[in-house]
């Protein structure tokens, strides 16, 4: 069974600083995908970044990058140059790419507050 | 805006009642998934529909059921409501293809259900 662990219930960062949100995972599947989503107070889940288990390079999307360490089973999200609008819940999720389904397994999330 | 809409936005029901939640997928998407997000938790996978057939289910009892229509809109039905069913219900659509892979899911804004 897959398991996602986010150990930081809440994080603070000052505007324009970088912040790292931790995510560790456990799976016996050799082929899997890792996702990060942002959930503002409005409730909608916004896709940020994706990393495949066989991808050789760490994924980057604008100010978001994923620090993927396969041997340590970690997939930390790095947000550079934080903005006030980055304040939200952040969820790490994974899915088994070997199945036809698309069930995402989410962690409990990290609440990020960006201060001026 | 993801193009995925859900109705209603909020709903209040009493224990034992039945409820139907609706989701309109992004145009061209053939797969819809439903998630339950309790307060302070990450979303939990309920089930997934692909071309009008259920093709994956999480650890939810049979009183949670669904439908997907030819236009790829979807319903989540919950019978015999319990207090613990109070949650944000999210639907997500994607275009499932043979290659699998990222298949980014696009989430709707959710329906907040309160069971009294």
């Amino acid at each position: 069974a897959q398991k996602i662990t986010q150990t930081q219930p809440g994080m603070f960062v000052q505007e324009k600083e970088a912040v790292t949100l931790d995510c560790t995972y456990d799976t016996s599947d050799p082929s899997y995908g890792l996702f990060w989503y942002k959930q503002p107070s409005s409730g909608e889940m916004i896709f940020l970044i994706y990393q495949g288990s066989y991808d050789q390079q760490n994924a980057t999307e604008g100010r978001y990058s994923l620090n993927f360490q396969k041997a340590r089973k970690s997939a930390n999200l790095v947000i550079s140059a934080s903005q006030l609008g980055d304040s939200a819940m952040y969820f790490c999720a994974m899915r088994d790419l070997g199945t036809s389904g698309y069930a995402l397994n989410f962690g409990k999330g990290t609440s990020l507050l960006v201060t001026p | 805006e993801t193009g995925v809409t859900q109705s209603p936005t909020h709903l209040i029901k009493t224990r034992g009642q039945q409820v139907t939640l609706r989701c309109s997928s992004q145009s061209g998407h053939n797969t819809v998934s439903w998630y339950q997000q309790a307060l302070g938790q990450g979303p939990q996978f309920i089930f997934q529909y692909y071309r009008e057939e259920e093709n994956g289910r999480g650890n939810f009892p049979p009183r949670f059921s669904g439908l997907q229509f030819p236009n790829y809109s979807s319903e989540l039905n919950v019978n015999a409501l319990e207090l613990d069913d109070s949650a944000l219900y999210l639907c997500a659509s994607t275009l499932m293809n043979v290659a699998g892979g990222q298949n980014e899911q696009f989430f709707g804004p959710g329906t907040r259900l309160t069971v009294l």
Side-chain angles (χ1 to χ4, degrees), chain A residues 35 37 39 41-47 49-50 61 89 91 95 97 99-109, chain B residues 1-2 31 33 35 37 40-45 48 55 88 90 94 96 100-105 107-109:
Chain A
F35 301 76
Y37 283 87
Q39 188 177 41
S41 56
S42 59
E44 190 166 335
M45 300 290 280
I46 301 168
F47 168 75
I49 197 167
Y50 167 84
E61 290 284 350
M89 285 293 295
F91 290 95
R95 86 171 179 99
L97 298 181
T99 65
S100 61
Y102 194 65
L104 284 171
N105 186 16
F106 285 86
K108 289 190 174 182
Chain B
E1 295 280 331
T2 64
T31 303
S33 303
Y35 293 83
Q37 187 178 16
Q41 302 293 318
Q44 297 290 315
F45 174 71
Q48 175 182 286
N55 79 333
L88 179 69
L90 297 161
T94 191
M96 184 75 72
Q102 181 172 341
N103 293 111
E104 178 187 338
Q105 283 193 328
F107 282 81

Side-chain angles (χ1 to χ4, degrees), chain B residues 54-76:
Chain B
E54 184 182 300
N55 79 333
R57 190 177 185 93
N59 190 24
F60 280 81
R63 59 189 185 85
F64 285 78
S65 63
L67 285 172
Q68 186 184 30
F69 301 99
N71 65 355
Y72 300 129
S73 64
S74 174
E75 287 182 355
L76 164 65

